[in-house]
Amino acid sequence: MTEDLISKKELLEQTGISYGQLYRWKRKNLIPEDWFIRKSSFTGQETFFPRESILTRIDRIKNMKDELSLDELADVFSPSVSNKVLTRVEIERKHLVTPISIHLFLESGSEKEKQTFSFEEMLCIYVLDQALASGQMNREEGILLVQTFQAYYSKFQDKGCDIILTRKMGIPLFTMLTTGSEVYFDTGVKEVLRLSLNTYLEQLKVKLSESEGF
Amino acid sequence: MKNEQTRPDLNISGVGRAAGGMYRHVRVDGVGKFSGDIDCVSYEVNGTSGLQGNLHCERYVVNGSANIQGSVAADEYQVNGSSKIEGSVKTRQTRIDGITSIKEHLQTDKLIVNGKATIDGKLIGSCVEVAGGITVGKDVECETIEVQGGFKIKGMLNAGTVDIVLHHRCEVEEIGGEQIQVRRKSKVRLLDQFVPAMTPRLKTHIIEGDDIYLEHTHAGTVRGGRITIGPGCEIGAVEYSVSYEQDPESRVGRQVQM
């Protein structure tokens, strides 16, 4: 995977933050360790970051740090799941996901009349919702997605993971793997969707913390 | 701690073995061996003890020597003798007046080292005071670090405030933080002229911070806002954004304003 990288110096110039701030955010786990990419250059060692991710992250920290403390922010960005429980009514009222997705989620499980959802289940519905909204996945595959998620998400614990949807001759196949790892398929396989669960986790946490005020 | 009242005490005076389990106070005055995880209020070793398992307690005090095969989670961790942990340690307060070695990480709020500490993993804390010596295999992350002794950090030192008073040789891969200050209190000793390898100095590749003051530092690159280079430094390149001052006794390869 060849990513577009940005050097530390360039990053600080562009965003106007200081070394101290960058290191403080790193300490508070607002910037993940594995974004610090060390490379040797002619002046010794230089640190690089994945350009897209770091710029959006810093932008978000700068925008949100007035309302939230650094520790609260760290919670938003951490890949670990919070232990919040949501009711169905709450989810619908906050417009977190479309009712179709909730319905589909319930259909794929054993409890059809579930009224409360754990944060992990909520995340699953959210991912399902986003995948459906992308228009690249149909409802049947959605059920498969939910089953894959529920069976294996806990195995990744706090390490972030991606879900890939591939199709070969029209047959769907879901794969879950650790974020950033490379994966190769044979030529007949088409990668349809790659969903980074960390991104969705963050989005969901932000949405929840934003809607708290209402 | 739950059902504290119903837990038994465990005292070993002389030589003894015990299984793991839930105890109130565990105290070894001779030689004690435990074969299993222990959950207790206090774990005190005055002689020699070995634990094959993890330890969870409020107070961990070693006056003699202790060896723990697993990890330790404690409120207070105090070593006056010697303690060896094969796993990681998570505590609120840590004080090392003797010797301790930790194979994995140490996570603590306050760390005071007057003796010698060796941590093979990471050190994560908020307030670190080192008057003795410390060796860390990976990164150090803390809010403030005050050093009056020597250290060797094989990873990066990332702290809000770094205050180093050089008494021994200090070595670290990289320093990053807000306020970074490296000073040398003592005057040049007679010994230094004959054995230059013994002179107290800091050796590092990169220092990056908002306010930097350095003495007797050998570094490849120093980057930051306000940089002051005091006496005795050898620095490859300085990149500063706000201000720069340099002692004539120091050597700086080149300086650039960013």
Side-chain angles (χ1 to χ4, degrees):
Chain A
M1 219 162 35
T2 45
E3 267 180 301
D4 190 9
L5 297 177
I6 183 168
S7 76
K8 194 193 277 173
K9 210 187 287 178
E10 204 186 328
L11 176 77
L12 298 191
E13 260 168 43
Q14 237 185 65
T15 53
I17 59 170
S18 69
Y19 283 109
Q21 262 169 318
L22 183 72
Y23 285 118
R24 192 179 326 127
W25 292 346
K26 182 186 184 222
R27 273 204 307 283
K28 292 280 182 194
N29 292 324
L30 297 182
I31 302 167
E33 184 96 44
D34 50 5
W35 286 7
F36 287 73
I37 303 161
R38 296 241 159 75
K39 282 193 172 180
S40 45
S41 69
F42 64 96
T43 52
Q45 267 210 343
E46 268 267 37
T47 307
F48 291 87
F49 300 89
R51 186 184 290 268
E52 271 289 312
S53 333
I54 191 83
L55 286 175
T56 29
R57 174 65 57 97
I58 286 183
D59 204 44
R60 292 261 300 283
I61 298 173
K62 278 161 90 181
N63 285 332
M64 286 164 67
K65 84 171 179 236
D66 299 336
E67 294 140 46
L68 299 171
S69 74
L70 284 183
D71 288 324
E72 284 168 318
L73 267 176
D75 189 48
V76 170
F77 295 131
S78 102
S80 61
V81 171
S82 74
N83 44 17
K84 192 172 273 190
V85 175
L86 291 138
T87 63
R88 189 171 173 167
V89 185
E90 221 177 328
I91 295 169
E92 279 170 4
R93 187 166 48 84
K94 285 179 179 168
H95 300 293
L96 292 171
V97 291
T98 54
I100 302 166
S101 302
I102 303 180
H103 195 72
L104 194 60
F105 175 82
L106 292 174
E107 220 170 86
S108 62
S110 48
E111 277 178 82
K112 305 275 188 250
E113 293 305 316
K114 221 168 145 56
Q115 289 301 321
T116 57
F117 300 89
S118 70
F119 188 82
E120 195 180 309
E121 286 168 325
M122 185 58 229
L123 176 64
C124 181
I125 306 174
Y126 188 71
V127 172
L128 174 70
D129 194 57
Q130 298 289 321
L132 282 172
S134 74
Q136 316 244 264
M137 187 186 75
N138 63 36
R139 286 169 56 93
E140 247 156 74
E141 288 164 347
I143 293 180
L144 197 58
L145 169 72
V146 172
Q147 285 161 351
T148 317
F149 182 99
Q150 294 203 310
Y152 301 111
Y153 184 68
S154 56
K155 296 226 189 277
F156 289 91
Q157 288 178 342
D158 288 354
K159 283 178 291 203
C161 61
D162 291 356
I163 290 191
I164 306 179
L165 167 61
T166 47
R167 283 201 201 104
K168 185 176 186 178
M169 311 287 279
I171 297 164
L173 187 78
F174 280 99
T175 312
M176 275 178 96
L177 66 166
T178 324
T179 306
S181 42
E182 292 180 45
V183 54
Y184 303 98
F185 306 103
D186 76 68
T187 42
V189 176
K190 185 164 177 3
E191 190 179 307
V192 187
L193 270 177
R194 184 172 182 138
L195 306 164
S196 155
L197 291 193
N198 263 2
T199 319
Y200 292 123
L201 185 66
E202 240 171 62
Q203 281 181 12
L204 187 61
K205 280 183 180 170
V206 171
K207 282 195 177 176
L208 282 172
S209 61
E210 274 169 357
S211 57
E212 215 86 299
F214 296 102
Chain B
M1 207 155 278
K2 292 171 291 189
N3 49 35
E4 219 170 87
Q5 298 308 317
T6 58
R7 295 174 172 213
D9 283 350
L10 176 63
N11 282 315
I12 294 181
S13 321
V15 182
R17 271 175 183 280
M22 310 257 270
Y23 298 103
R24 193 156 55 132
H25 299 297
V26 177
R27 190 186 162 111
V28 179
D29 288 316
V31 180
K33 273 211 156 159
F34 307 112
S35 56
D37 293 0
I38 287 187
D39 185 320
C40 60
V41 178
S42 77
Y43 186 90
E44 193 180 332
V45 179
N46 297 313
T48 308
S49 94
L51 166 62
Q52 283 179 319
N54 301 310
L55 172 66
H56 185 272
C57 62
E58 274 174 32
R59 259 169 64 81
Y60 174 86
V61 182
V62 177
N63 298 315
S65 109
N67 191 331
I68 293 185
Q69 292 293 326
S71 296
V72 177
D75 201 43
E76 231 177 286
Y77 179 99
Q78 196 178 344
V79 178
N80 302 314
S82 104
S83 147
K84 196 172 168 191
I85 315 287
E86 298 293 333
S88 57
V89 174
K90 199 172 175 184
T91 62
R92 200 173 53 78
Q93 259 190 41
T94 310
R95 190 183 170 111
I96 315 291
D97 292 324
I99 301 173
T100 197
S101 105
I102 296 166
K103 282 270 172 265
E104 283 169 24
H105 311 305
L106 168 61
Q107 196 180 341
T108 182
D109 270 0
K110 188 166 173 78
L111 171 66
I112 298 176
V113 181
N114 294 318
K116 191 172 181 305
T118 307
I119 300 151
D120 289 352
K122 265 189 179 184
L123 166 61
I124 298 171
S126 61
C127 180
V128 177
E129 281 172 38
V130 180
I134 192 166
T135 307
V136 182
K138 293 200 173 112
D139 295 355
V140 175
E141 289 190 1
C142 56
E143 288 314 307
T144 61
I145 180 164
E146 276 175 42
V147 181
Q148 293 263 6
F151 62 80
K152 189 168 185 180
I153 299 168
K154 294 193 185 106
M156 179 190 176
L157 168 60
N158 175 0
T161 311
V162 178
D163 190 352
I164 298 170
V165 179
L166 293 165
H167 285 276
H168 301 284
R169 307 271 298 209
C170 295
E171 224 175 282
V172 54
E173 201 59 33
E174 199 181 333
I175 301 180
E178 282 139 61
Q179 261 95 37
I180 299 166
Q181 191 175 53
V182 180
R183 289 168 296 162
R184 188 174 143 185
K185 268 277 168 64
S186 57
K187 292 218 181 85
V188 178
R189 297 175 301 184
L190 188 65
L191 187 68
D192 297 345
Q193 293 170 355
F194 299 109
V195 198
M198 293 285 284
T199 19
R201 62 178 167 83
L202 169 70
K203 202 175 158 216
T204 180
H205 292 296
I206 304 171
I207 300 179
E208 288 176 332
D210 298 341
D211 287 288
I212 302 175
Y213 176 80
L214 303 175
E215 282 176 17
H216 299 275
T217 299
H218 289 208
T221 314
V222 177
R223 292 195 192 102
R226 286 166 291 276
I227 298 176
T228 311
I229 305 288
C233 294
E234 260 180 60
I235 286 152
V238 172
E239 293 171 19
Y240 63 101
S241 59
V242 186
S243 69
Y244 174 63
E245 267 174 62
Q246 189 203 322
D247 189 284
E249 274 179 53
S250 283
R251 280 197 305 209
V252 174
R254 60 191 170 86
Q255 57 264 25
V256 202
Q257 178 154 31
M258 289 187 288

